[in-house]
Short mmCIF file of all heavy atoms in Angstrom, two decimals:
data_model
loop_
_atom_site.label_atom_id
_atom_site.label_comp_id
_atom_site.label_asym_id
_atom_site.label_seq_id
_atom_site.Cartn_x
_atom_site.Cartn_y
_atom_site.Cartn_z
N LEU A 122 18.33 44.89 -25.31
CA LEU A 122 17.30 43.94 -25.24
C LEU A 122 16.07 44.29 -25.96
O LEU A 122 15.30 43.47 -26.62
CB LEU A 122 16.98 43.69 -23.84
CG LEU A 122 18.11 43.05 -22.91
CD1 LEU A 122 17.80 43.09 -21.43
CD2 LEU A 122 18.31 41.53 -23.38
N ASP A 123 15.74 45.56 -25.90
CA ASP A 123 14.50 46.17 -26.55
C ASP A 123 14.66 46.03 -28.12
O ASP A 123 13.63 46.08 -28.78
CB ASP A 123 14.21 47.58 -26.13
CG ASP A 123 13.88 47.59 -24.63
OD1 ASP A 123 13.47 46.59 -23.99
OD2 ASP A 123 14.03 48.72 -24.04
N ALA A 124 15.91 46.19 -28.53
CA ALA A 124 16.10 46.25 -29.99
C ALA A 124 15.78 45.03 -30.85
O ALA A 124 15.30 45.09 -31.93
CB ALA A 124 17.48 46.68 -30.27
N GLY A 125 16.13 43.83 -30.28
CA GLY A 125 15.89 42.65 -30.97
C GLY A 125 14.59 41.88 -30.75
O GLY A 125 13.79 42.37 -29.89
N THR A 126 14.31 40.91 -31.42
CA THR A 126 13.19 40.05 -31.17
C THR A 126 13.59 38.69 -30.85
O THR A 126 14.74 38.21 -31.16
CB THR A 126 12.23 40.07 -32.49
OG1 THR A 126 12.97 39.55 -33.57
CG2 THR A 126 11.86 41.50 -32.74
N VAL A 127 12.69 37.94 -30.40
CA VAL A 127 12.91 36.46 -30.14
C VAL A 127 12.02 35.64 -30.98
O VAL A 127 10.91 36.06 -31.30
CB VAL A 127 12.71 36.12 -28.59
CG1 VAL A 127 13.84 36.79 -27.81
CG2 VAL A 127 11.34 36.50 -28.07
N GLY A 128 12.45 34.45 -31.30
CA GLY A 128 11.68 33.64 -32.17
C GLY A 128 11.99 32.14 -31.84
O GLY A 128 11.54 31.70 -30.73
N TRP A 129 12.72 31.46 -32.68
CA TRP A 129 12.99 30.11 -32.45
C TRP A 129 13.87 29.94 -31.16
O TRP A 129 13.76 28.94 -30.46
CB TRP A 129 13.67 29.49 -33.63
CG TRP A 129 13.91 28.07 -33.36
CD1 TRP A 129 15.07 27.33 -33.46
CD2 TRP A 129 12.93 26.94 -33.16
NE1 TRP A 129 14.99 25.99 -33.19
CE2 TRP A 129 13.68 25.77 -33.04
CE3 TRP A 129 11.55 26.96 -33.09
CZ2 TRP A 129 12.97 24.54 -32.82
CZ3 TRP A 129 10.92 25.74 -32.76
CH2 TRP A 129 11.65 24.52 -32.74
N ASP A 130 14.76 30.95 -30.91
CA ASP A 130 15.61 30.85 -29.72
C ASP A 130 14.65 30.89 -28.47
O ASP A 130 15.03 30.07 -27.40
CB ASP A 130 16.51 32.07 -29.61
CG ASP A 130 15.92 33.44 -29.85
OD1 ASP A 130 14.82 33.43 -30.59
OD2 ASP A 130 16.52 34.38 -29.53
N ALA A 131 13.64 31.53 -28.45
CA ALA A 131 12.70 31.43 -27.29
C ALA A 131 12.16 30.06 -27.09
O ALA A 131 11.86 29.63 -25.96
CB ALA A 131 11.54 32.58 -27.40
N GLU A 132 11.82 29.38 -28.27
CA GLU A 132 11.27 28.13 -28.14
C GLU A 132 12.28 27.13 -27.54
O GLU A 132 11.94 26.21 -26.82
CB GLU A 132 10.88 27.57 -29.53
CG GLU A 132 9.81 28.39 -30.18
CD GLU A 132 8.49 28.33 -29.36
OE1 GLU A 132 8.05 27.34 -28.87
OE2 GLU A 132 8.01 29.50 -29.11
N LEU A 133 13.60 27.29 -27.90
CA LEU A 133 14.63 26.37 -27.29
C LEU A 133 14.66 26.71 -25.79
O LEU A 133 14.85 25.83 -25.06
CB LEU A 133 15.90 26.69 -28.02
CG LEU A 133 15.95 26.26 -29.48
CD1 LEU A 133 17.21 26.67 -30.13
CD2 LEU A 133 15.74 24.80 -29.72
N PHE A 134 14.63 28.01 -25.39
CA PHE A 134 14.79 28.38 -23.97
C PHE A 134 13.55 27.81 -23.20
O PHE A 134 13.57 27.69 -21.99
CB PHE A 134 14.87 29.77 -23.76
CG PHE A 134 16.36 30.39 -23.78
CD1 PHE A 134 16.89 30.85 -24.93
CD2 PHE A 134 17.03 30.27 -22.61
CE1 PHE A 134 18.25 31.23 -24.93
CE2 PHE A 134 18.38 30.78 -22.54
CZ PHE A 134 18.93 31.24 -23.75
N SER A 135 12.35 27.69 -23.87
CA SER A 135 11.17 27.26 -23.20
C SER A 135 11.22 25.77 -22.81
O SER A 135 10.51 25.39 -21.92
CB SER A 135 10.03 27.44 -24.14
OG SER A 135 9.83 26.53 -25.10
N GLY A 136 11.98 24.96 -23.50
CA GLY A 136 12.01 23.54 -23.19
C GLY A 136 10.93 22.68 -23.92
O GLY A 136 10.98 21.44 -23.84
N ARG A 137 9.96 23.37 -24.52
CA ARG A 137 8.87 22.59 -25.20
C ARG A 137 8.65 23.34 -26.51
O ARG A 137 7.64 24.04 -26.63
CB ARG A 137 7.55 22.42 -24.35
CG ARG A 137 7.17 23.67 -23.71
CD ARG A 137 5.88 23.42 -22.99
NE ARG A 137 5.40 24.57 -22.16
CZ ARG A 137 4.37 24.63 -21.45
NH1 ARG A 137 3.71 23.59 -21.25
NH2 ARG A 137 4.04 25.76 -20.78
N PRO A 138 9.51 23.16 -27.46
CA PRO A 138 9.45 23.90 -28.73
C PRO A 138 8.10 23.63 -29.51
O PRO A 138 7.67 22.56 -29.66
CB PRO A 138 10.67 23.34 -29.52
CG PRO A 138 11.01 22.10 -28.88
CD PRO A 138 10.65 22.17 -27.43
N ASP A 139 7.62 24.77 -29.97
CA ASP A 139 6.44 24.75 -30.85
C ASP A 139 7.05 24.55 -32.27
O ASP A 139 7.56 25.48 -32.86
CB ASP A 139 5.68 26.05 -30.72
CG ASP A 139 4.45 26.08 -31.68
OD1 ASP A 139 4.29 25.14 -32.46
OD2 ASP A 139 3.69 27.07 -31.60
N TRP A 140 6.90 23.30 -32.86
CA TRP A 140 7.51 23.03 -34.11
C TRP A 140 7.06 23.96 -35.23
O TRP A 140 7.72 24.13 -36.22
CB TRP A 140 7.35 21.59 -34.48
CG TRP A 140 8.08 20.61 -33.50
CD1 TRP A 140 7.52 19.82 -32.67
CD2 TRP A 140 9.47 20.64 -33.24
NE1 TRP A 140 8.47 19.15 -31.90
CE2 TRP A 140 9.72 19.63 -32.42
CE3 TRP A 140 10.57 21.25 -33.82
CZ2 TRP A 140 10.90 19.26 -31.84
CZ3 TRP A 140 11.79 20.91 -33.40
CH2 TRP A 140 12.04 19.92 -32.44
N ASP A 141 5.85 24.49 -35.14
CA ASP A 141 5.29 25.34 -36.17
C ASP A 141 6.13 26.59 -36.28
O ASP A 141 6.26 27.10 -37.45
CB ASP A 141 3.85 25.73 -35.85
CG ASP A 141 2.84 24.63 -36.14
OD1 ASP A 141 3.20 23.67 -36.86
OD2 ASP A 141 1.65 24.72 -35.74
N LYS A 142 6.66 27.08 -35.18
CA LYS A 142 7.55 28.23 -35.20
C LYS A 142 8.85 28.03 -36.02
O LYS A 142 9.42 28.92 -36.54
CB LYS A 142 7.94 28.63 -33.81
CG LYS A 142 6.79 29.01 -32.84
CD LYS A 142 6.38 30.44 -33.10
CE LYS A 142 5.20 30.80 -32.13
NZ LYS A 142 5.69 30.91 -30.74
N LEU A 143 9.18 26.74 -36.18
CA LEU A 143 10.41 26.42 -37.01
C LEU A 143 9.97 26.09 -38.49
O LEU A 143 10.42 26.57 -39.43
CB LEU A 143 11.13 25.27 -36.43
CG LEU A 143 12.37 24.77 -37.23
CD1 LEU A 143 13.41 25.80 -37.19
CD2 LEU A 143 12.84 23.46 -36.63
N THR A 144 8.93 25.15 -38.58
CA THR A 144 8.62 24.69 -39.94
C THR A 144 7.93 25.74 -40.81
O THR A 144 7.98 25.63 -42.07
CB THR A 144 7.73 23.43 -39.83
OG1 THR A 144 6.52 23.85 -39.04
CG2 THR A 144 8.41 22.36 -39.04
N LYS A 145 7.31 26.69 -40.17
CA LYS A 145 6.65 27.71 -40.96
C LYS A 145 7.50 28.85 -41.38
O LYS A 145 7.07 29.80 -42.10
CB LYS A 145 5.33 28.23 -40.19
CG LYS A 145 4.27 27.18 -40.10
CD LYS A 145 3.04 27.77 -39.41
CE LYS A 145 1.88 26.62 -39.38
NZ LYS A 145 0.67 27.23 -38.79
#
Side-chain angles (χ1 to χ4, degrees):
L122 291 171
D123 293 340
T126 60
V127 294
W129 183 243
D130 47 338
E132 297 303 311
L133 296 175
F134 271 96
S135 76
R137 47 179 176 182
D139 178 354
W140 295 114
D141 282 348
K142 296 283 182 67
L143 178 67
T144 59
K145 290 185 178 179

